[in-house]
């Protein structure tokens, strides 16, 4: 049974449908929809998308670039898209990021909505309005913050998801639990990825809980002046290694979260037992918790992170399970810590 | 004597300094400034800009492209620009459009201010937050609306402006008079371009009046749902011919305004005597009022204008001098009118 909730942020509102059916798309869109998707999703869902005009992009993070956005915009011109068009991104986080960004700059902004096809996009990437593309190794260096008009989660679209992508989504769920929801952390400890894969209601409940958690943070701080920064837990180191080592986003931030826990422990800010519980939970969900990497190069990458201001990195550290804080760390101190924990 | 006014729009505020001195830049910027300018302005004003890091772009509308923005963003990365950086666009409308756009997408938005160096940029392009780049012949097809933190008009920078560029700025001033200010229209009828060029106080008064007029419209309707559309008077046809025929922006919209007056007369909406007064004023300021162009091609271009929704163009027509209205015109009717008036 489809559920519908409208979240009002400071700039605009998003209506989120869960347990939705993509066949209901015409009800969610005002005006003429154009679907933006990737080759993999299109191949798997062609029968469900056939009713609408589609722009099909190459799949993968390596295509999340300004060149792909230029290509997409040229297609929109060729299709005479205008401000009465709604772009609908159907795909994972790469597609929702590209589509949201293109919609925010084409004709200085046209309506946009998302139908996420991965767990990661349903609980995180599609929500909150952050969009953008990478520049070389730098993640999301270019983009905007602009809310989609709607987000519709159709769980049947997850059926064709490879196991690796399924697992990938749990990294952001565990992140949410670590920073804001100790009860959900305990629920996750009692289950396995397969429990959620095999139980529609359990999965739906988990997705709803994560959407509500993220929306509540974005409602308080849409433009990331304060608490929204907490959602970057695991992302400072995660982003620095993601494109450098060609990791899946969930894998990269899992390693980043494990590293942040070790840094917190090192700074006498987080009990070893709590750190061990986070690492054990990541492993329970088959996520990696360490990586041998070039510390000089990763240190340099972090210097270009959006969370840096001058010589200070605003680093997210756990204090207890379910509660994280923003700590300013000098870039030199950060390089030292990186050497100590790995 | 520098004057300072802060205008509050729905999304943010802009502080506008007039009769300013660019040497005061450090007072306007919080954080570290990076100047963005073009080769012509840099050559003319190098002694005034030498104190700050500068990114110098090639000059001219033909460089107002996504490729130039990509180049600018790569420079920002190389200079380790972050959210504590303020981009300062020093130049004409092309520079303020590119700089405003780059600042709105780099790291999902960094602070920006403008020091316009042309009349056109002082009274129009730098104000109101519209930015963007062209896509081939399509003007400003990609961009955002985002207010600059400050705009500082230093009239001494106009001294090196070629006469052609000086004239170019009066097109937007006459536009403002036509749509909203019959008294200013009468003032302009009593003067010539040289009167303003030779009289600092007269020019300052004119610039202040135009800034106040534009800001008042943008305050009422920042995101162009209604009356801000009036500022597009002359721009529908103007934009269609500007890049196609390589015209200066002021020249293109002067021809566009003359055409809109003829269309208004044709539709029994505007007296012939009023139309003659507008055309005479444009000519008094040495602006062109007609052009022999390919009507099929220009009709096709207008189809891609941002002011089109489906089959309807929201066209701006004068009713009396000092008062314009928004009229929906079907695209077929528009093609007919184009044939009748030229």
């Amino acid at each position: 049974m489809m559920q519908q909730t409208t979240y009002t942020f400071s700039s605009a509102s998003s209506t989120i449908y869960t347990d939705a059916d993509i066949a209901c798309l015409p009800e969610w869109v005002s005006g003429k929809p154009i679907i933006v998707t990737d080759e993999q999703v299109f191949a798997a869902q062609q029968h469900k998308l056939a009713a609408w005009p589609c722009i099909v992009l190459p799949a993968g993070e390596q295509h999340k670039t300004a060149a792909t956005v230029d290509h997409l915009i040229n297609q929109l011109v060729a299709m005479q898209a205008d401000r009465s068009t709604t772009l609908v991104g159907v795909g994972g986080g790469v597609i929702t990021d590209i589509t949201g960004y293109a919609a925010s700059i084409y004709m200085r902004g046209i309506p946009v909505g998302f139908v996420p096809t991965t767990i990661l996009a349903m609980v995180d990437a599609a929500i909150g309005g952050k969009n953008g593309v990478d520049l070389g190794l730098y993640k999301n260096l270019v983009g905007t913050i602009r809310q989609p008009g709607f987000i519709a989660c159709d769980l049947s679209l997850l059926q064709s998801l490879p196991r690796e992508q399924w697992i990938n989504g749990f990294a952001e769920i565990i992140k949410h639990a670590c920073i804001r929801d100790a009860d959900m952390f305990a629920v996750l400890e009692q289950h396995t990825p397969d429990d959620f894969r095999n139980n529609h209601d359990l999965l739906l409940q988990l997705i709803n809980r994560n959407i509500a958690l993220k929306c509540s943070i974005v409602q308080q701080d849409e433009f990331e002046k304060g608490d929204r920064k907490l959602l970057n837990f695991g992302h400072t180191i995660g982003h620095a290694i993601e494109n450098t080592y060609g990791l899946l986003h969930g894998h990269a931030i899992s390693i980043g979260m494990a590293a942040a826990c070790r840094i917190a422990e090192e700074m006498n800010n987080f009990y070893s037992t709590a750190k061990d519980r986070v690492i054990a939970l990541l492993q329970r969900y088959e996520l990696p918790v360490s990586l041998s990497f070039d510390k000089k190069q990763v240190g340099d990458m972090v210097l270009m992170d959006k969370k840096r201001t001058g010589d200070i990195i605003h680093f997210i550290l756990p204090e207890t399970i379910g509660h994280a804080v923003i700590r300013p760390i000098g870039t030199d101190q950060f390089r030292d810590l990186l050497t100590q924990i790995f």
Side-chain angles (χ1 to χ4, degrees), chain A:
Chain A
M1 256 285 291
M2 192 171 80
Q3 295 155 34
Q4 172 179 347
T5 312
T6 297
Y7 292 91
T8 302
F9 305 105
S10 50
S11 74
S13 294
S14 295
T15 298
I16 304 190
Y17 306 93
T18 56
D19 218 5
D21 181 340
I22 194 172
C24 299
L25 184 68
E27 297 168 28
W28 308 328
V29 172
S30 62
K32 192 180 58 172
I34 293 181
I35 307 282
V36 180
T37 189
D38 71 29
E39 286 162 356
Q40 279 177 16
V41 173
F42 190 71
Q45 311 294 348
Q46 197 164 358
H47 55 294
K48 295 193 175 177
L49 301 177
W52 304 288
C54 279
I55 298 173
V56 182
L57 303 176
E61 180 80 27
Q62 70 274 28
H63 297 291
K64 205 176 106 173
T65 61
T68 302
V69 173
D70 288 348
H71 167 74
L72 172 52
I73 282 174
N74 277 294
Q75 297 259 69
L76 294 175
V77 171
M79 294 163 89
Q80 298 195 348
D82 62 27
R83 288 172 177 163
S84 67
T85 304
T86 297
L87 285 199
V88 182
V90 181
V94 171
I95 283 295
T96 59
D97 275 8
I98 292 174
T99 308
Y101 179 48
S104 79
I105 59 173
Y106 183 70
M107 292 195 168
R108 295 203 185 98
I110 63 170
V112 68
F114 301 132
V115 181
T117 61
T118 64
I119 305 261
L120 190 144
M122 288 184 187
V123 300
D124 185 32
I127 300 168
K130 281 193 183 179
N131 60 51
V133 296
D134 304 338
L135 184 78
L137 297 178
Y138 301 115
K139 289 276 299 174
N140 307 325
L141 192 81
V142 165
T144 69
I145 296 181
R146 181 167 176 268
Q147 301 306 327
F150 72 87
I151 300 155
C153 300
D154 176 343
L155 270 55
S156 76
L157 301 177
L158 298 173
Q159 283 159 9
S160 61
L161 206 62
R163 182 171 183 84
E164 186 185 53
Q165 283 293 343
W166 184 270
I167 290 304
N168 189 41
F170 277 91
E172 299 286 5
I173 292 172
I174 293 172
K175 179 192 80 178
H176 286 158
C178 286
I179 63 168
R180 213 19 114 77
D181 192 342
D183 290 345
M184 181 163 73
F185 194 98
V187 170
L188 291 167
E189 284 182 320
Q190 288 153 25
H191 287 287
T192 66
D194 285 328
D195 291 345
F196 293 101
R197 198 159 194 180
N198 299 327
N199 186 330
H200 176 275
D201 289 349
L202 194 67
L203 177 63
L204 180 63
Q205 210 173 30
L206 186 71
I207 288 171
N208 281 335
R209 185 169 187 153
N210 278 275
I211 290 172
L213 185 153
K214 177 154 185 186
C215 285
S216 119
I217 294 177
V218 178
Q219 282 179 319
Q220 288 159 41
D221 176 28
E222 184 177 4
F223 293 103
E224 200 170 299
K225 305 294 179 199
D227 271 5
R228 185 168 185 174
K229 289 192 172 84
L230 296 174
L231 291 168
N232 297 323
F233 177 49
H235 281 63
T236 304
I237 292 171
H239 276 171
I241 60 176
E242 182 173 345
N243 287 8
T244 310
Y245 294 93
L247 302 175
L248 286 176
H249 180 68
H251 288 193
I253 68 147
S254 177
I255 295 163
M257 286 190 280
C261 287
R262 291 187 190 107
I263 288 176
E265 182 192 25
E266 194 70 34
M267 295 172 78
N268 294 318
N269 204 42
F270 195 49
Y271 286 114
S272 297
T273 48
K275 178 206 73 180
D276 292 342
R277 266 181 80 193
V278 174
I279 289 177
L281 187 63
L282 292 168
Q283 289 176 319
R284 184 177 182 88
Y285 285 81
E286 301 168 29
L287 289 160
V289 293
S290 64
L291 179 78
S292 143
F293 58 78
D294 179 333
K295 289 176 190 69
K296 170 76 175 65
Q297 189 186 7
V298 168
D300 290 347
M301 286 289 297
V302 167
L303 270 183
M304 274 312 293
D305 190 274
K306 295 189 291 299
K307 293 169 283 297
R308 178 181 65 86
T309 316
D311 284 336
I312 299 294
I313 300 164
H314 296 284
F315 205 81
I316 315 305
L317 293 175
E319 271 199 345
T320 57
I321 282 173
H323 181 69
V325 293
I326 306 161
R327 274 287 184 89
I329 300 187
T331 50
D332 288 342
Q333 187 191 1
F334 178 77
R335 284 184 194 271
D336 290 345
L337 285 163
L338 211 53
T339 311
Q340 283 165 39
I341 60 157
F342 282 107

